[in-house]
Amino acid sequence: MDGEKSAGEIKRSVTIAGHRTSISLERPFWDTLKELACTEETSVNELVRRIDMGRGGNGSLSSAIRVYVLEAVKKRGPAACDTQN
């Protein structure tokens, strides 16, 4: 089950290259990441895997996801998918 930190971060487990890892992000980042995965017609796990591969081992995965989400939001228009489900 997802755990919530006092700072509003939500910890979720994802599988990358067959390995489970936990990622802590604030709810708006999780929601937008799910929306981006939907828009790209892929799973959140696959999108996180791509982000992980693109960072080349530099910095934390959580930070890389936040930067990816920010850049994607800056480039796109209105939301195409509902993430409330």
Side-chain angles (χ1 to χ4, degrees):
M1 177 148 257
D2 298 340
E4 294 203 30
K5 293 183 179 179
S6 61
E9 289 184 339
I10 298 170
K11 182 182 262 186
R12 294 197 175 142
S13 294
V14 296
T15 302
I16 302 172
H19 300 284
R20 300 286 289 170
T21 188
S22 293
I23 301 169
S24 294
L25 295 171
E26 296 77 11
R27 181 173 304 282
F29 285 100
W30 280 118
D31 291 345
T32 306
L33 187 66
K34 288 187 332 188
E35 183 181 305
L36 291 168
C38 174
T39 301
E40 295 180 26
E41 298 181 354
T42 192
S43 67
V44 170
N45 276 350
E46 174 58 20
L47 184 53
V48 169
R49 185 195 68 77
R50 285 191 239 154
I51 294 167
D52 185 46
M53 295 295 291
R55 74 184 174 105
N58 296 320
S60 74
L61 179 55
S62 294
S63 292
I65 292 169
R66 287 183 185 97
V67 169
Y68 180 90
V69 166
L70 177 62
E71 292 299 320
V73 167
K74 287 167 62 175
K75 291 178 187 174
R76 71 178 169 99
C81 296
D82 178 17
T83 61
Q84 300 306 312
N85 295 327

